[in-house]
Structures are given as C-alpha cells and as structure tokens.
Amino acid sequence: MSRGIIPRLFIIIPCYNEEKVLPLTAPLFLTKLTDLAAAGKISGDSRILFVDDGSKDSTWEIIKQLAAEEPHYQGIRQSRNRGHQNAVLAGLMEAKDRCDITISIDCDGQDDINAMEEMVEAYMAGSEIVYGVRNNRDTDSFFKRFTATRFYKLMNRMGVESVYNHADYRLVSARVLQSFADFKEVNIYLRGMFPLVGFPSTSVYYKREERLAGESHYPLKKMLGLAVDGITSLSIRPIRLITGLGFVVSLLSLIGLIWILISHFTGHTVAGWASLAAIVCFATGIQMLSLGIIGEYIGKIYMETKGRPRYIISERTEEDP
Ligand code: UDP
Ligand code: MG
C-alpha cells in the first residue's frame, strides 16, 4: 500500500529540566521539519510540540519564547512532573486529532533526527508504526550498555513484547493513536503497549549519539522502576514463575519429609528437628515472596480502579485551528 496525500507531522518532544540542551536542539528539529516540508515529504503546517514535564528550571520559559518567535513550535506543560512516559503520552494525545502522523523523540539530541525521513517514507509505504532502533551503543558507558541490554532481555523473558533496542523514538500514525486512546490504563509502558495495538509496523535503524548537554534522567533506579512498571502492567509471567517455584519447593519438602522421618525413626531427633526448622523458614520465605508479587498486582488493580487522569495540562502556548 502507498499513500497519496502529504501527511501533517507532529514531532512530540518531552522535556524535563532541559534548559541546557533545548536551545541547542530546538533549531535542529525546526531545520529538519522545514527540510522535510521543502522536500514535499510532510505538509508545511507540521508542528514541533514540546511537552514540558513539570520542569523546575526555565525549560517552560524557553518553550514559550520559542513558540512566540516561530509558529512551527508549540508547547504544552504538565501540571507537575509525571515522568517521561506520561509526558510522551500527553503529547501524543494532544496531537492525535490534529495531524496524520506523530514522531516522538527525546529533546537531548541523542536520537538521530535524520532517521525521520526514513520513518516518513516507511509510513508512506504503508506502515502505521515505525520503531526507531539504535544499532550501536558505543557512546554509552559500559555500565549503561550492560544494564540496558539486561533490561531488554529481562522484559522479553518476563513476557513483555517489545522491540529490542527501541526506546521511545518512533513514528505513530493518528489512526493508531485513535485506537491507542482506548487503552485506559494508568501505569503505562509505551514501548510495550504499541505492539499490543497492532497495525502494520516496521523498524528503521540509527546511530545513537551522546547527550548534547545536561544530564541523563534515567539512572539505574529509574530504569529498574520502568522495568517493574512494564512487567507488572503488561505481563502475568512473574505469577506463573512463582507457581512453578511453588511446585519445586513442594517436591523438595516431600524429599525433606522422608529424610526427617528416617532421622526420627533412627533416633537422630535433634538433627531432624533442625532440618525441619530450616524447611519452615525456607517455606516462609517463599510465601513472603509470593505475597509480595501478588501484592504488586493487587496494587496495580487498585491504581487502575481509581481511574486517575494520566495527565493534566495546565498551560498551553496556543490552539491550532
Ligand atoms: N524526561 C521527561 N520527564 C522525566 C524524565 C525525562 O519528560 O521525568 C524526558 C527528558 O527531558 C528527555 C527524555 O525524557 O527528553 C529522555 O530522558 P533522558 O535523556 O534523561 O534519558 P536517557 O536518554 O539517558 O535514557
Ligand atoms: Mg537521553
């Protein structure tokens, strides 16, 4: 399938405390947008939509300034910091009725903006979702590279379908977003959710660069948090693992019981008593672990039933007609 019309593009850019890097990268996004429009790949009324994720520095002032000077720039601001995933979601939901396609990208210049052209071409060739996949990690530290690789492995093993080495640089059509809007869950992990929406998809590959300025907001702690959120929001495999573990432990207990009985009848009661106590402790440990994991899911159910808004926009620079 190929498409006839020139699509209107919204580039969605989450920003949290990015006053150092935004003045550097904003013009790069604009140049890319105008180049694509000049080449007839996207329509001239395409936009760059910054989503300020409740920054505490002057990021919002910079966005307002940019929007005042250049009509291609727009901004929305979340009422407080809600995290990267929610910021991207806010931008996508804002854009979905005003465009044909969106591309979400970080504002720090790490993701190669030149991949956008290929993404739009893939859309024109019929894909509704185009995943940006980094094909190198040379610029990351060994630690970041190691934890990131583990991260994808863990997610897949835990039953979360996601594209390897794809973060949140992706093209999504408005059509997909209309369906995606019906995913009402509060705990969101976008890169694991878009594969669930379906529609034809493909990947484009790019080289990931260093951050142009400022610092990463994803230390190990947040990455682990994201992994836990992703797994518990999208998969019940951990519960299955616990069930499996339960079987193994029961089997071991049976063998232990036979051993204890033999010890008892041969008169070694003191030794038997000790092993029994050890088994009790072990079983208690497993039960605690199981309760913990089940509790995690109950916690999620609890949060979902609250039906809290996933984002609240407190300000915007302008409304497009
Ligand atoms: N970000 C956000 N809210 C947050 C943390 C980060 O909107 O609470 C944005 C940030 O401004 C950046 C993107 O998410 O555009 C990715 O963050 P970062 O570059 O710090 O992560 P890394 O690339 O190191 O994984
Ligand atoms: Mg980054």
Side-chain angles (χ1 to χ4, degrees), residues 106 108 110 208 211:
D106 293 351
D108 55 12
Q110 285 194 280
R208 178 137 158 129
R211 215 173 212 285

Side-chain angles (χ1 to χ4, degrees), residues 58-309:
S58 64
T59 301
W60 177 242
E61 279 63 44
I62 295 170
I63 293 172
K64 279 201 287 197
Q65 183 71 28
L66 288 169
E69 285 166 7
E70 221 319 309
H72 287 98
Y73 291 128
Q74 289 187 357
I76 52 175
R77 182 183 205 190
Q78 296 216 80
S79 55
R80 54 156 292 166
N81 178 249
R82 279 170 207 276
H84 176 211
Q85 298 290 298
N86 296 67
V88 175
L89 177 75
L92 293 176
M93 291 300 115
E94 275 290 302
K96 77 177 193 318
D97 299 318
R98 299 200 266 149
C99 66
D100 302 301
I101 49 176
T102 60
I103 293 179
S104 53
I105 185 167
D106 293 351
C107 73
D108 55 12
Q110 285 194 280
D111 301 318
D112 182 10
I113 51 173
N114 296 317
M116 286 187 188
E117 183 162 351
E118 220 183 305
M119 285 182 170
V120 174
E121 278 164 9
Y123 165 77
M124 292 308 280
S127 290
E128 297 283 343
I129 306 177
V130 186
Y131 299 102
V133 176
R134 60 187 93 148
N135 56 10
N136 79 311
R137 281 193 173 268
D138 311 343
T139 52
D140 287 344
S141 69
F142 171 77
F143 182 70
K144 176 97 191 179
R145 202 154 59 207
F146 181 76
T147 49
T149 320
R150 292 278 111 207
F151 179 85
Y152 290 101
K153 292 244 165 75
L154 175 75
M155 297 310 280
N156 277 327
R157 210 165 291 154
M158 284 297 160
V160 179
E161 187 191 329
S162 54
V163 177
Y164 184 69
N165 262 347
H166 160 70
D168 282 296
Y169 183 22
R170 77 177 84 75
L171 179 150
V172 182
S173 72
R175 188 170 154 221
V176 169
L177 290 174
Q178 298 298 346
S179 311
F180 186 73
D182 292 332
F183 282 62
K184 298 287 186 197
E185 62 207 74
V186 178
N187 295 288
I188 51 169
Y189 179 67
L190 296 175
R191 63 191 92 157
M193 288 168 73
F194 278 110
L196 296 178
V197 186
F199 293 101
S201 67
T202 184
S203 297
V204 303
Y205 297 86
Y206 69 95
K207 192 162 170 279
R208 178 137 158 129
E209 303 292 344
E210 299 253 29
R211 215 173 212 285
L212 284 180
E215 272 162 27
S216 168
H217 304 94
Y218 269 99
L220 183 65
K221 197 172 137 224
K222 264 203 186 171
M223 215 144 112
L224 286 175
L226 188 65
V228 170
D229 262 358
I231 294 164
T232 51
S233 306
L234 293 168
S235 160
I236 56 155
R237 199 167 287 176
I239 291 188
R240 303 253 163 83
L241 287 180
I242 291 295
T243 316
L245 200 64
F247 274 117
V248 174
V249 171
S250 312
L251 206 72
L252 287 176
S253 314
L254 205 68
I255 297 167
L257 194 71
I258 295 167
W259 173 52
I260 289 158
L261 283 176
I262 292 170
S263 305
H264 178 74
F265 287 118
T266 53
H268 298 105
T269 42
V270 174
W273 179 249
S275 33
L276 193 62
I279 289 165
V280 169
C281 291
F282 185 54
T284 313
I286 294 294
Q287 279 167 1
M288 293 291 279
L289 189 67
S290 314
L291 281 176
I293 295 204
I294 292 167
E296 175 76 23
Y297 281 89
I298 292 174
K300 284 269 149 57
I301 295 168
Y302 171 66
M303 292 307 290
E304 300 292 350
T305 51
K306 281 182 189 285
R308 283 178 179 157

